[in-house]
Amino acid sequence: MSNMLKSTALLSASLFAIVKGQGIGTNLAETHPSLSWSKCTTAGGCVSTAGSVVLDANWRWVHNAAFTNCYTGNQWDATICPDPTTCAANCQLDGAAYSSTYGITSSGNALTLNFVTGSNVGSRVYLMASNTAYQMFKPINQEFTFTVDLSTLPCGLNGALYFSEMASDGGSAAHPTNKAGAQYGTGYCDSQCPHDIKFINGAANMLNWTATSTNSGTGMYGSCCSEMDIWEANSISAAYTPHPCTSTGLLECSGSTCTSTCDQAGCDFNSYRWGDLNYYGPGMTVDTTKPFTVVTQFISSTGTASGTLSEIRRLYIQNGVTIQNSVTNIPGLTTYNSVSDAFCKAQKAATGDTDTFETLGGMAGMGAAMARGMVLVLSIWDDYAVDMLWLDSDYPTTASATAPGVARGTCATSSGKPATVEAAGSGVHVIYSDI
């Protein structure tokens, strides 16, 4: 259930006019906030790389050449957008006021994402390699680390950092009607196959459009791709979760294909869910009242980058101390402290959940996506679908909290309501640094 309906929740949450287009607007020049990160080797140490981030297209103003909205509230403009192709030709995606409108700021190697800024709620950005291309990562046989401060994130919020198998150019080469490309944050996809992406593969996703809130809706098509959730967390609970798909890159799906292509449930490692109730949280082994470093190791079957992904390990570093990952401690699940095919099979058996992880590719499938290259996503969001209960509370709420795998954190099942967390969202933020 990791990152359930992530895109839907993000779009529904925003009170700003979150719209998406394919041309390039002229109202505001796009200037990407800088964000340095490092490439490290055991022999040569770390070398800083000058990068930047770009805001996802769903948060931007989209309009025609006369600056009339292509999409307002939860409806398409019938004149500008009579059909998907004409809509894409007529609509322009504009630059973003990162700090003042979206609460996104950077300094050196640190990126701060505010939860509520004016009428805007949440954000999602991507690491850039250049002004027009996303930075691609192939992490097999490597280690990925970052430092995070999520001390202000309460129940119901998610500071998520993850890889998605998006195209490096945002899909503009394969779909020439998408003129905005990665420079304007296009081409998003994930394992939930979100239907609220307003433009997919250079065309408007307006067919069978159904409003889901005053500011969002869903269309006929979804946007699927493999996803590796390195980090989904607030100050109460955390999880890391591979979500393989049988498709390659972004798949535009419809009907049952949207629920049979990707492992939407994933194979998560949540320390609380798997029995260590005192490992992660305020004042615990990993103390979320202070910053800490998250280390994720992608182990290869051959010890080389060309090998098959066989295991995903987790370590933490806080106050100069390396903290080993927690170990599982629930009935029916033998001792594990990392994600592997064996762990995933065992956790599904212990909980009685359907093992879509294995049937849709398992570790090998997740590794194949990594070998092709994935984009780094950094975000903060709340959940209009199930209030983030899958991360930090008892879920499903209809099951006994004592059943294996149901309790995922100490948050009440009544917590996480978007209206509540948004009303209290001023000053709430996540800081990612030292990637």
Side-chain angles (χ1 to χ4, degrees):
M1 194 57 62
S2 180
N3 73 19
M4 169 178 277
L5 300 178
K6 177 181 295 175
S7 183
T8 298
L10 279 164
L11 291 172
S12 300
S14 180
L15 301 178
F16 190 74
I18 40 179
V19 287
K20 182 173 181 179
Q22 298 294 288
I24 296 176
T26 59
N27 181 68
L28 180 64
E30 175 67 9
T31 302
H32 300 146
S34 61
L35 182 68
S36 63
W37 60 285
S38 296
K39 296 180 180 179
C40 307
T41 62
T42 52
C46 294
V47 177
S48 181
T49 298
S52 62
V53 295
V54 62
L55 179 68
D56 181 282
N58 277 336
W59 271 258
R60 298 170 181 268
W61 180 30
V62 68
H63 52 75
N64 68 359
F67 298 100
T68 300
N69 288 348
C70 295
Y71 181 96
T72 302
N74 56 26
Q75 297 295 325
W76 297 90
D77 184 289
T79 302
I80 301 173
C81 293
D83 60 78
T85 302
T86 303
C87 187
N90 286 341
C91 293
Q92 303 174 356
L93 192 64
D94 229 306
Y98 281 83
S99 177
S100 60
T101 298
Y102 302 102
I104 300 170
T105 57
S106 65
S107 177
N109 67 10
L111 175 72
T112 300
L113 304 180
N114 288 334
F115 178 50
V116 175
T117 302
S119 60
N120 182 73
V121 177
S123 61
R124 181 170 66 218
V125 301
Y126 311 117
L127 187 65
M128 302 292 283
S130 70
N131 194 48
T132 57
Y134 300 132
Q135 179 67 49
M136 303 304 289
F137 288 86
K138 299 180 178 182
I140 295 177
N141 200 45
Q142 297 182 65
E143 176 178 283
F144 183 92
T145 75
F146 66 99
T147 297
V148 64
D149 182 345
L150 42 60
S151 56
T152 67
L153 295 191
C155 297
L157 290 196
N158 191 337
L161 182 152
Y162 55 104
F163 290 137
S164 280
E165 196 189 350
M166 299 161 59
S168 62
D169 64 356
S172 58
H175 306 282
T177 51
N178 173 6
K179 298 179 177 64
Q183 184 178 1
Y184 287 81
T186 69
Y188 182 70
C189 56
D190 66 36
S191 62
Q192 307 304 305
C193 303
H195 283 252
D196 53 6
I197 306 301
K198 292 183 175 64
F199 286 79
I200 303 174
N201 290 344
N205 187 22
M206 59 186 293
L207 300 179
N208 297 344
W209 189 261
T210 303
T212 55
S213 79
T214 56
N215 290 293
S216 66
T218 56
M220 177 183 293
Y221 299 108
S223 187
C224 306
C225 67
S226 294
E227 174 183 2
M228 174 65 223
D229 289 322
I230 295 175
W231 187 246
E232 292 195 286
N234 53 39
S235 62
I236 304 301
S237 292
Y240 72 100
T241 312
H243 295 267
C245 301
T246 56
S247 56
T248 298
L250 189 159
L251 172 71
E252 183 179 41
C253 71
S254 62
S256 61
T257 303
C258 299
T259 55
S260 62
T261 298
C262 297
D263 175 27
Q264 297 183 339
C267 175
D268 67 299
F269 199 107
N270 173 330
S271 296
Y272 192 98
R273 187 183 187 204
W274 304 128
D276 194 331
L277 309 186
N278 299 300
Y279 181 77
Y280 178 93
M284 297 187 183
T285 303
V286 179
D287 183 0
T288 57
T289 66
K290 304 172 184 177
F292 52 90
T293 297
V294 182
V295 181
T296 309
Q297 299 172 335
F298 299 95
I299 307 302
S300 163
S301 60
T302 62
T304 67
S306 60
T308 300
L309 179 68
S310 60
E311 185 183 8
I312 306 171
R313 297 175 184 166
R314 168 56 50 84
L315 303 166
Y316 297 94
I317 302 171
Q318 190 170 44
N319 298 325
V321 177
T322 298
I323 304 170
Q324 299 298 318
N325 197 26
S326 63
V327 297
T328 55
N329 182 30
I330 65 167
L333 187 61
T334 55
T335 300
Y336 294 94
N337 68 348
S338 64
V339 172
S340 63
D341 282 327
F343 163 72
C344 296
K345 189 176 185 67
Q347 67 140 279
K348 301 299 182 182
T351 60
D353 294 339
T354 302
D355 191 358
T356 51
F357 180 77
E358 180 180 21
T359 58
L360 294 174
M363 295 294 284
M366 189 73 258
M370 291 179 180
R372 292 187 292 264
M374 306 186 83
V375 173
L376 181 65
V377 187
L378 307 98
S379 68
I380 183 171
W381 61 288
D382 59 353
D383 183 357
Y384 271 67
V386 294
D387 305 333
M388 218 70 73
L389 302 180
W390 57 266
L391 175 66
D392 58 22
S393 185
D394 298 334
Y395 193 84
T397 57
T398 54
S400 169
T402 61
V406 171
R408 297 133 189 272
T410 59
C411 297
T413 55
S414 59
S415 69
K417 304 294 184 187
T420 302
V421 295
E422 290 168 18
S426 178
V428 174
H429 62 276
V430 62
I431 304 173
Y432 304 108
S433 64
D434 199 21
I435 297 171

